[in-house]
Amino acid sequence: KTRRYIKIALISAAVLLPLIIVSVNVVKENVAKKEYQQQCKLFDEYILAGDADKAQQIWSAMTYNNEISHLFALVKLYLSKDDYTNAIDIYRKGKVGTHETFQKEILVPELIRLGRYDEAWSFVPYAQSDIGGADNYFEFMSDVILYLCRNNRKQDARRFVNEYIIWFSSHVDTYKTKQTEWVQEYYREYNSVTAKSKLLKFINNY
């Protein structure tokens, strides 16, 4: 009889234990979600108040900190404060992959505004450091020049061209003797002399 009771108790335990574990996990999940909701509320409040450092503290401690919208909001806030160091660091730590639209429309233009041209180029989608990236680099330089000209900084634009045209010298001019058709086409279009002439003409005609 005692053995029968023990057997029944063991069977009951085997049935109930998984249910108890599930219940505990559900409770934990609900607590985590509630905590996350509170963190989101605090995060939004700090973002609206313009307190980037406190918003970052909340973001770092979030139960789920893979929300792209939170990452973008924090990066944009730091950029608005001209703090490109924290903006870039947080974006890279976000581990949410590459977001071409955000980089092209927000990150690159803001870094250009801050004069961080090398960092800006590193976030240009499909940026290549060879002749295959010549069209993208020319477009990038054009974007910088346009920003400078719009802000009545033509002399800065000319200095930028003189300093950064070296990219074409290093990555395009070296292909002068290559016979591949597409390479020759890129060379004719983007050799340093031609590229510089086009960019300076744009500045002079603005």
Side-chain angles (χ1 to χ4, degrees), residues 21-62:
I21 292 173
V22 169
S23 297
V24 170
N25 289 336
V26 168
V27 170
K28 285 183 177 179
E29 184 68 20
N30 288 335
V31 169
K33 285 181 179 179
K34 188 174 181 180
E35 180 185 1
Y36 177 64
Q37 289 170 352
Q38 292 172 340
Q39 289 170 332
C40 287
K41 184 179 178 182
L42 267 178
F43 178 86
D44 290 341
E45 288 175 358
Y46 286 134
I47 289 291
L48 288 173
D51 195 330
D53 292 337
K54 285 186 178 178
Q56 183 187 358
Q57 290 174 8
I58 296 297
W59 179 77
S60 299
M62 275 184 174

Side-chain angles (χ1 to χ4, degrees), residues 169-181:
S169 302
S170 302
H171 299 100
V172 178
D173 290 359
T174 52
Y175 285 86
K176 184 176 181 179
T177 59
K178 300 293 181 181
Q179 299 304 313
T180 308
E181 185 176 344

Side-chain angles (χ1 to χ4, degrees), residues 5 13 27 33 39 52 55 63 71 84 91 95 99 104 116 133 137 142 152 159 170 182:
Y5 288 144
V27 170
K33 285 181 179 179
Q39 289 170 332
T63 311
L71 175 70
Y84 71 91
Y91 185 75
K95 297 180 181 178
H99 296 275
K104 186 175 182 179
R116 309 305 302 186
Y137 200 80
S142 299
N152 300 314
R159 279 193 288 270
S170 302
W182 78 267

Side-chain angles (χ1 to χ4, degrees), residues 113-199:
R113 179 181 66 81
L114 295 172
R116 309 305 302 186
Y117 304 132
D118 293 328
E119 287 95 336
W121 169 243
S122 72
F123 286 106
V124 171
Y126 309 111
Q128 295 175 240
S129 294
D130 56 39
I131 192 171
D135 54 346
N136 279 340
Y137 200 80
F138 186 86
E139 182 180 353
F140 163 70
M141 287 192 70
S142 299
D143 289 341
V144 174
I145 290 168
L146 181 60
Y147 169 78
L148 293 172
C149 287
R150 281 177 174 171
N151 288 275
N152 300 314
R153 296 170 59 188
K154 282 192 172 185
Q155 280 302 103
D156 289 337
R158 292 187 182 95
R159 279 193 288 270
F160 169 76
V161 171
N162 289 331
E163 182 178 350
Y164 281 81
I165 200 67
I166 192 173
W167 190 95
F168 295 97
S169 302
S170 302
H171 299 100
V172 178
D173 290 359
T174 52
Y175 285 86
K176 184 176 181 179
T177 59
K178 300 293 181 181
Q179 299 304 313
T180 308
E181 185 176 344
W182 78 267
V183 170
Q184 282 300 299
E185 182 180 344
Y186 263 56
Y187 174 79
R188 287 191 296 271
E189 188 75 16
Y190 298 112
N191 66 78
S192 60
V193 174
T194 301
K196 185 175 182 179
S197 176
K198 289 179 179 179
L199 293 168

